[in-house]
Amino acid sequence: MPQINNPHDKFFKQTFSRLDVTQSFIDEVFPLDIRDKINLNSLKLSNGSFVDADLSEHLTDLIYEAEYAGQQATITLLFEHKSYQEDFPEWQLLRYMTNIWKEEQKQKKKSKIVIPIIIHHGKTAWKKVSMKNYFGNPSADLRRFLPEFDYLLFSLNDFEDYQIANFKNIFLSTSAMLLKHSRDKKEEFLRLESFLIEKLKALDLAHEKEFITTIVYYLNSTTNLTSNELIIIFTKVSTTVNNIAMTAVEEITENLTFTYVKGAIQNGATIEFISKAFGLSIKKVEEIIQKIKSTSN
C-alpha cells in the first residue's frame, strides 16, 4: 500500500481500521435491508491490498469481509474527501472492484459480492449519476452493453451535528464530526469546542493516547487554528491530554523545521542564512544538518 499523504485519508484510515468503528458505522447508518443481513460479529478487516498505482491517490484501501445472510460478502470502504462532485466515481469503483475479483481469481477463490461505499464530507452536495448518463442516455438497445451497479453514499453534510454527536461509538462520533467540519472557518470550527472537550475527556478516561495524538495531528493539518489555540482546547480537558497535545505539537514543529531546513540546504542556503531565516541558533541548524545526513545514508 503506497503511503497516504492526505491528512483526511490518514485520519479516515486510522479511524475505520478499528473494527468497533466500522461495526458501529454499519449498525447506525446503513440501510436497514442491508444492515440486518450483515453478521457484525463476523466482520473482519482484510489484509489484502487491491489498489493499483493509478487508484492509490483516490482510495484508502480499507476492505472488510463479513457474512451476509449466511453467505460471504466483501465490504469495501472507499473514502472520498473532495469538496466537490467527483467526476466518474463509478469508473473508479468499477476498477477497484475488478482488482478485487482478479485477485480472488488468482488465488482460486470464489468471487464475492462487493458493496462499494463512499463517505463524503465536502461542502458541496454529492449527486449520484447513472452510468447511462455518462454516455448521453443511449437508447435501450445500447444500454445493455453498459455495466450498471450501485454504491452506498453517506454524505456527512446530510447528518445534523446532534445526530453525529449521538453516535454510540466515541471514535466514530468524533471522527465524523471533525471530518464534517474540517473545512470550516476558524470561528465556525470553534463552536465545536464543547463537543471536542467532552469527547476528549471520554478518550482520556479510556486511555486512548494514540487516538488523541491522531486528533492533534489532524486538526493541525486541516484547520486554521494556531498551535496555541489548539493547546488551549486540550488544556481544558486534563493535564494528561494537555501533555499529549504539547508533545504532538512539538513533534509537528520539529518535523516542519526539519523539512524547511532540508529544502534550504538543497537550494544552497548557508547555515548563517538558515539561522536568521528560521530563528534558530547555529548549533541547532548544525544538529538538523547532521540529522539530514544520517537519514540520507
Side-chain angles (χ1 to χ4, degrees):
M1 177 61 189
Q3 182 179 359
I4 300 175
N5 295 315
N6 188 288
H8 302 295
D9 281 342
K10 287 182 178 180
F11 188 55
F12 174 81
K13 187 162 189 176
Q14 287 175 316
T15 301
F16 277 82
S17 292
R18 293 182 61 105
L19 182 61
D20 60 324
V21 170
T22 305
Q23 286 175 326
S24 181
F25 176 75
I26 293 171
D27 184 50
E28 298 195 60
V29 303
F30 260 44
L32 295 180
D33 60 332
I34 296 178
R35 186 203 69 184
D36 292 344
K37 294 178 182 177
I38 296 177
N39 181 354
L40 292 180
N41 292 327
S42 70
L43 192 71
K44 63 178 180 180
L45 183 65
S46 172
N47 292 324
S49 178
F50 306 101
V51 181
D52 57 34
D54 291 336
L55 284 177
S56 62
E57 293 183 0
H58 300 281
L59 306 175
T60 56
D61 194 21
L62 274 178
I63 300 170
Y64 278 89
E65 296 182 355
E67 293 177 3
Y68 185 85
Q71 305 176 33
Q72 285 289 327
T74 301
I75 311 297
T76 302
L77 297 181
L78 163 63
F79 178 50
E80 176 54 58
H81 62 76
K82 293 183 179 179
S83 59
Y84 52 88
Q85 172 71 51
E86 174 67 36
D87 293 328
F88 313 117
E90 289 85 356
W91 295 5
Q92 294 177 7
L93 290 172
L94 184 58
R95 183 170 176 178
Y96 191 90
M97 294 158 69
T98 302
N99 286 345
I100 293 175
W101 291 326
K102 285 170 65 177
E103 184 64 25
E104 289 174 341
Q105 183 183 41
K106 186 188 300 183
Q107 297 183 18
K108 301 186 182 304
K109 293 181 178 181
K110 181 181 178 181
S111 296
K112 303 182 184 72
I113 299 294
V114 176
I115 303 177
I117 302 163
I118 290 180
I119 301 176
H120 172 247
H121 70 96
K123 288 294 186 183
T124 56
W126 183 286
K127 182 181 178 182
K128 274 191 174 184
V129 179
S130 175
M131 187 73 78
K132 64 179 182 291
N133 290 335
Y134 294 138
F135 299 88
N137 198 18
S139 57
D141 57 321
L142 290 178
R143 288 180 195 172
R144 63 194 178 104
F145 299 108
L146 294 176
E148 284 286 354
F149 65 93
D150 199 3
Y151 59 90
L152 296 179
L153 172 66
F154 300 98
S155 180
L156 295 180
N157 289 327
D158 293 336
F159 292 86
E160 298 292 341
D161 282 355
Y162 77 87
Q163 292 177 298
I164 296 176
N166 288 329
F167 283 160
K168 297 174 185 176
N169 185 281
I170 184 174
F171 301 95
L172 176 61
S173 176
T174 306
S175 300
M177 190 74 82
L178 295 184
L179 285 166
K180 178 183 177 181
H181 292 282
S182 61
R183 292 180 175 85
D184 283 359
K185 294 180 180 178
K186 182 186 298 187
E187 297 76 17
E188 296 172 337
F189 184 84
L190 286 174
R191 296 173 188 168
L192 297 177
E193 182 175 310
S194 59
F195 165 86
L196 186 56
I197 290 173
E198 176 190 344
K199 297 302 180 183
L200 286 169
K201 286 181 177 179
L203 290 167
D204 186 24
L205 289 173
H207 305 291
E208 291 288 348
K209 177 181 178 179
E210 184 176 346
F211 191 68
I212 294 172
T213 301
T214 297
I215 292 173
V216 178
Y217 271 86
Y218 183 64
L219 293 180
N220 182 79
S221 299
T222 59
T223 68
N224 293 321
L225 298 178
T226 65
S227 296
N228 287 336
E229 288 169 333
L230 268 179
I231 293 297
I232 288 173
I233 294 175
F234 285 80
T235 301
K236 297 176 181 179
V237 180
S238 71
T239 301
T240 301
V241 170
N242 180 50
N243 290 338
I244 293 173
M246 290 283 286
T247 301
V249 168
E250 287 174 3
E251 290 175 353
I252 292 168
T253 303
E254 186 174 329
N255 290 338
L256 283 175
T257 302
F258 178 87
T259 302
Y260 293 150
V261 171
K262 183 176 181 180
I265 290 294
Q266 290 173 340
N267 284 286
T270 64
I271 293 178
E272 291 74 17
F273 175 84
I274 294 173
S275 174
K276 291 180 180 178
F278 297 106
L280 301 171
S281 66
I282 296 292
K283 182 179 179 181
K284 182 63 178 179
V285 175
E286 290 174 341
E287 289 175 357
I288 295 174
I289 291 174
Q290 286 300 316
K291 187 177 179 180
I292 292 171
K293 291 179 179 179
S294 63
T295 56
S296 299
N297 295 332

